[in-house]
Amino acid sequence: MQTTRNLVLTAWMAEHGYSSNTLADAVNQAIGDLTGRLGGLDGSSVRDWKAGRVRWPKSATRAALTKVTGLSATALGFVPRGRAASAPAPPQEGPVNRRSFLSATAATAAMPAPTAAPPHRVGASAVAKLQHKFARVVAGDHQHGGIRGIETRALELAAEAVHLQSRGAASQRVRAQLYGVAAAFTSSAMWAAIDGRRFDAARRHHERASSLASMSGDQAIQFRIWSHAGTLYRHLGRPSDALAANDVARNLSIVRRDPLFGSLGHARHAAIHGATGDGAGVRRSLGHAQEALDRADGATARPVWLEAFYGQSELDSLALAAYLALGDWAEAEAHAHRSLAALPPHMHRSRAIATARLARAQLGQGDLGPAISTAMNIPQGAKRHPRVSGMLGAFGARLRECAPHSPHTRMWTEHQREALA
């Protein structure tokens, strides 16, 4: 049987920047949100929809498509089972019916055409509301870290921003801003997934975020997305890919215009150099990062995500990560103390991570008592954060390896046992 291509779905995907693979990923995620179990679609499933080989997906898939696109399945060009894809041919008419039809047509032509309702206008106020919601997502991330709730909420808001594109008329400038804020939300979902060690999800979010950012033309959000990608690959143990991704961010023209972007790019490059064992690269990149930070003008208006976290404390935190990777424990400890001293009080997740790294630096120098005291001072709630719990697990393993019979080791083991009880 000859199939009819779904041109409506194909056009929607082209307008909103979806490939077959990225739409499949988004629908799979939406199925997971709706049913508690991630969907099993792939790019070939979407190609079947576009080609008309599958004209009416399953009910869960239709609900997920509506969640992703904001449109019903029929509005996306799908055809319910038992219904023809094209409009049915008109019935055969007799002479009387034909005369009635022609008379009605002539009468209709004489009537004035009804005035169409003006399209809904999407303006700057809608963008401002979304940007306010984005600031709240950023604040939640600094308080709680990579929990699924932040990831899910960010994706919902990204979808809301994209759907505004199809719900009304907007200027080219507003459309670009909507794509930019959608990219920003998706990049926050990406960061939440990285922070929560959900790396497969982070890769999917990166693909979608980079596509949206390209359509927005917003270099600040493009920097954030590719800088996050560098961090993702560093955590995955792929430093060559991490350097390449971070270089995409560092080569954007916004880095040359604003030293604060340049400083963050250099600081994250230092952390990656640490993962490769390149001590000279670490020191060189940190020197560039500090010099650029010292030049940054505090009066310059910058995105909320950058203003919310980057400054001297974060630079020292990235230096701490770099020197830990090199095994330079004393230098790492010095940066840990500087980072913690300058860290804003609301950044609970960052404080827990820096404290766990400080404990590791102290342990590396053989200071068992101070190391255990530092680790035990991390709040119990923060210890459940995936990155923090992983660091403390590695801390305990190293402690048992270097001092298996020490009373300090027994103290730490008992502390952990009570914490898990």
Side-chain angles (χ1 to χ4, degrees):
M1 180 179 67
Q2 185 176 5
T3 59
T4 303
R5 291 186 61 81
N6 188 336
L7 299 180
V8 177
L9 176 66
T10 302
W12 185 92
M13 290 172 60
E15 180 184 354
H16 293 85
Y18 278 97
S19 67
S20 294
N21 288 332
T22 56
L23 181 57
D25 288 342
V27 174
N28 285 336
Q29 186 68 47
I31 291 173
D33 294 341
L34 292 168
T35 68
R37 184 174 182 180
L38 200 66
L41 303 170
D42 57 20
S44 65
S45 306
V46 178
R47 287 189 286 273
D48 285 341
W49 300 343
K50 293 165 65 178
R53 291 187 289 271
V54 173
R55 295 168 56 199
W56 192 241
K58 295 178 180 179
S59 58
T61 303
R62 297 197 305 273
L65 274 164
T66 298
K67 182 177 174 67
V68 171
T69 66
L71 301 171
S72 67
T74 52
L76 288 169
F78 292 105
V79 182
R81 291 185 180 87
R83 185 182 300 176
S86 57
Q92 293 295 318
E93 301 170 310
V96 175
N97 288 341
R98 184 178 298 275
R99 283 195 299 273
S100 299
F101 171 74
L102 292 173
S103 299
T105 302
T108 302
M111 295 174 63
T115 303
H120 173 66
R121 190 76 181 171
V122 180
S125 62
V127 177
K129 289 178 182 177
L130 287 168
Q131 289 172 336
H132 178 69
K133 292 178 182 179
F134 177 61
R136 289 162 59 186
V137 168
V138 171
D141 171 69
H142 290 313
Q143 286 186 319
H144 307 294
I147 60 176
R148 286 188 182 274
I150 292 175
E151 181 182 356
T152 301
R153 180 60 176 156
L155 291 175
E156 289 172 349
L157 291 168
E160 181 181 331
V162 170
H163 295 164
L164 281 174
Q165 299 275 358
S166 58
R167 291 177 185 167
S171 67
Q172 184 176 357
R173 181 171 180 268
V174 168
R175 288 196 181 278
Q177 290 175 331
L178 287 172
Y179 281 124
V181 75
F185 282 124
T186 309
S187 70
S188 283
M190 176 188 175
W191 180 251
I194 293 170
D195 205 33
R197 321 311 265 178
R198 298 182 294 276
F199 296 133
D200 287 342
R203 283 194 289 258
R204 291 195 299 270
H205 301 331
H206 172 249
E207 185 176 353
R208 176 67 175 144
S210 58
S211 174
L212 289 166
S214 295
M215 288 186 285
S216 76
D218 185 339
Q219 288 215 347
I221 199 59
Q222 291 178 40
F223 177 96
R224 186 187 198 213
I225 290 162
W226 283 102
S227 185
H228 282 350
T231 302
L232 169 62
Y233 289 124
R234 175 164 63 88
H235 287 309
L236 286 170
R238 294 164 54 180
S240 295
D241 290 334
L243 289 169
N246 201 51
D247 271 336
V248 175
R250 297 196 312 145
N251 288 331
L252 292 167
S253 61
I254 196 170
V255 172
R256 295 187 291 277
R257 296 196 304 270
D258 189 338
L260 197 65
F261 283 90
S263 178
L264 177 55
H266 286 304
R268 285 186 166 158
H269 230 54
I272 302 168
H273 282 311
T276 68
D278 182 359
V282 167
R283 290 183 287 275
R284 181 176 60 253
S285 292
L286 288 176
H288 291 322
Q290 188 65 62
E291 186 272 335
L293 180 62
D294 292 342
R295 285 192 293 111
D297 180 3
T300 301
R302 297 185 175 94
V304 62
W305 61 264
L306 183 63
E307 293 278 12
F309 90 103
Y310 190 67
Q312 188 64 57
S313 177
E314 180 64 15
L315 195 163
D316 281 309
S317 178
L318 289 164
L320 163 60
Y323 283 114
L324 275 184
L326 291 175
D328 189 337
W329 313 116
E331 194 67 29
E333 180 178 5
H335 283 285
H337 287 301
R338 284 201 290 270
S339 178
L340 288 166
L343 191 66
H346 68 276
M347 299 182 71
H348 305 308
R349 182 269 318 276
S350 296
R351 182 169 298 278
I353 289 172
T355 303
R357 286 173 170 164
L358 171 59
R360 181 66 184 92
Q362 291 168 330
L363 180 62
Q365 297 173 83
D367 298 331
L368 273 60
I372 291 171
S373 177
T374 297
M376 290 173 65
N377 280 333
I378 298 174
Q380 193 57 43
K383 290 177 181 176
R384 289 192 289 269
H385 185 282
R387 285 173 70 188
V388 177
S389 63
M391 290 176 183
L392 293 180
F395 172 85
R398 179 56 185 158
L399 178 62
R400 289 186 293 273
E401 180 183 334
C402 65
H405 306 299
S406 167
H408 296 294
T409 304
R410 290 194 295 273
M411 182 189 304
W412 175 252
T413 302
E414 183 62 27
H415 172 78
Q416 289 296 83
R417 184 181 298 116
E418 291 176 357
L420 296 173

